Amino acid sequence: MSRTLAPDITDNEIRRLAALPLEELKAEARRVTEEWHGRGILIRGLIEYSNHCSCDCLYCGIRKSQTQAHRYRLDEETILTLVDQGLAHGMKTFVLQGGEDPEYSPERICRLVERIKSRSPECAVTLSSGIVPDAVYREFRNAGADRYLMRFETADPELHRYLRGGVTLKRRLRALDAIREAGLQVGSGFMTGLPGETEETLIRNILLSREINMDMGGIGPFIPHPDTPLAGAAQEPLERALKATALLRITLPWCHIPATTAAGTLEPDGREQMIASGANVLMPNISPVEVKKDYLLYPGKICLDESGFECVGCLSLRVKTVDRELCFDRGDALRLGT
Ligand code: SAH
């Protein structure tokens, strides 16, 4: 039986929560997390399949104009080997994330998804390949993809257009509609601490997350990359991302929220702090160690010199410090009731 989960929290209630002291807000978020998700932290294997990108987002370390980046693209055989290793480690969700890489055409991605699913029909495949023509999301779904991740990045339309090299928020939201209409589970989210952002932006990000009614929501602190136009931007503290995580958890209790790598990069226990603010997912990066350093969206990214499979042991210890344990379920959207 599928459940219809629709957010009923009002704007006023969100604003009241946003004014609470952070520790109080986090405590409420933890209570909601335990009620809806228990103490398990879902594990997803992240494969960063290509850092070629035709977009020129000002914040991103693999933007088209970034000439310092060493570009790579994993071939299908390499990706399938990673999936096999992941399956052997008990992983049941694989997230394929990349830049908007024309070499990885929709057809090529579809064939890859089919091969993954034929190896292991019970695993879930999540794609995160940016904006494609609306009809292509349906092709991804038909090939067997289960979910799609695409953050809206910021709910401020002006800031969005400026930061994303002219691509509008409206365009991004249309793509998210097409993703849902294609029958994919919808992941979105935003960065915190972008230059030009205000407290009101944070509230707008939560209101837009509610409007999208997303199944999965990723929040990460923006970290300025030295080889981008935003090199000189200020680093905002992790607390902004923690506050956003707690607000999102209370607004969309069923949402799967990752404790993001960017949080772990900003502070050594950043991911644990995200979990203590309402996150319930971890995504160890199982890309080959040789390429991990090249998917450098922001500087200082953690765990670059070890395999993501080694990270699982480390993560199981880390989550214990915040009274959680790793969970190897598929972790579908709760509305599907699986
Ligand atoms: N091409 C895909 C994947 C983008 S990379 C897509 O368009 O969805 C994944 C996420 O990394 C982005 O959505 C963005 O929110 C985040 N990111 C990019 N640059 C960053 C930075 N400098 N600091 C923190 N997060 C960043």
Side-chain angles (χ1 to χ4, degrees):
M1 264 301 275
S2 66
R3 290 199 263 171
T4 310
L5 305 178
D8 57 5
I9 188 166
T10 63
D11 291 23
N12 279 347
E13 179 63 1
I14 292 172
R15 287 180 193 280
R16 185 190 71 76
L17 290 164
L20 289 177
L22 183 57
E23 286 311 314
E24 227 175 282
L25 183 66
K26 284 167 58 180
E28 174 60 7
R30 279 197 297 278
R31 193 192 62 70
V32 174
T33 311
E34 287 186 25
E35 187 185 325
W36 284 75
H37 303 272
R39 293 175 50 251
I41 300 294
L42 294 165
I43 288 289
R44 329 271 207 200
L46 173 65
I47 301 172
E48 294 165 338
Y49 67 87
S50 168
N51 72 349
H52 290 262
C53 194
S54 52
C55 298
D56 225 6
C57 308
L58 299 192
Y59 45 79
C60 186
I62 60 166
R63 64 198 297 267
K64 181 173 71 180
S65 305
Q66 218 287 72
T67 52
Q68 307 300 311
H70 174 255
R71 305 283 171 175
Y72 73 90
R73 180 178 296 120
L74 300 182
D75 62 26
E76 283 80 350
E77 298 310 319
T78 305
I79 295 170
L80 290 168
T81 303
L82 294 169
V83 168
D84 285 344
Q85 289 173 324
L87 290 167
H89 282 82
M91 293 178 176
K92 293 193 191 66
T93 289
F94 297 95
V95 180
L96 303 182
Q97 184 171 85
E100 294 192 12
D101 177 1
E103 280 288 310
Y104 252 106
S105 63
E107 295 71 31
R108 198 171 159 189
I109 294 176
C110 285
R111 300 297 82 77
L112 176 61
V113 172
E114 283 164 2
R115 289 180 71 188
I116 295 173
K117 294 294 270 202
S118 68
R119 267 173 144 79
S120 173
E122 71 280 7
C123 79
V125 174
T126 304
L127 296 175
S128 181
S129 310
I131 293 181
V132 293
D134 289 357
V136 171
Y137 296 114
R138 168 74 55 192
E139 292 170 24
F140 288 157
R141 179 72 188 121
N142 290 342
D146 300 275
R147 312 175 186 149
Y148 205 93
L149 298 183
M150 189 165 61
R151 293 183 180 173
F152 59 79
E153 313 295 4
T154 176
D156 177 331
E158 292 305 314
L159 188 58
H160 191 281
R161 199 209 318 254
Y162 163 69
L163 292 175
R164 301 209 57 250
V167 182
T168 61
L169 177 62
K170 209 170 151 199
R171 177 70 189 93
R172 197 83 165 163
L173 295 178
R174 199 184 89 205
L176 283 162
D177 277 346
I179 289 166
R180 189 178 290 279
E181 279 161 24
L184 293 154
Q185 297 169 44
V186 182
S188 192
F190 54 90
M191 283 178 278
T192 57
L194 288 166
E197 185 180 300
T198 62
E199 183 65 18
E200 182 60 20
T201 316
L202 201 152
I203 304 276
R204 297 264 158 199
N205 286 337
I206 299 295
L207 297 179
L208 183 54
S209 301
R210 183 190 58 183
E211 203 174 309
I212 295 170
N213 195 8
M214 53 208 194
D215 302 306
M216 304 166 283
I219 295 173
F222 161 65
I223 303 176
H225 187 295
D227 301 320
T228 62
L230 300 184
Q235 177 64 67
E236 293 296 330
L238 182 63
E239 278 65 30
R240 287 190 72 79
L242 301 179
K243 178 174 181 175
T245 301
L247 278 173
L248 185 66
R249 165 57 64 221
I250 300 167
T251 305
L252 301 178
W254 51 84
C255 193
H256 291 306
I257 304 179
T260 48
T261 308
T265 298
L266 202 51
E267 290 192 17
D269 66 345
R271 286 170 300 175
E272 293 89 316
Q273 293 191 57
M274 291 281 268
I275 291 170
S277 307
N280 71 314
V281 176
L282 278 165
M283 295 171 43
N285 178 356
I286 61 169
S287 309
V289 176
E290 310 83 79
V291 303
K292 275 174 116 178
K293 62 180 182 323
D294 294 324
Y295 200 84
L296 211 59
L297 308 173
Y298 45 83
K301 222 173 147 191
I302 50 173
C303 312
L304 293 183
D305 51 5
E306 58 189 339
S307 122
F309 301 115
E310 290 169 43
C311 292
V312 174
C314 165
L315 293 176
S316 73
L317 297 176
R318 285 175 177 270
V319 298
K320 281 201 171 68
T321 66
V322 278
D323 192 30
R324 294 286 186 267
E325 55 198 29
L326 299 186
C327 168
F328 286 83
D329 290 352
R330 255 171 71 113
D332 281 298
L334 291 199
R335 71 183 157 85
L336 300 179
T338 47

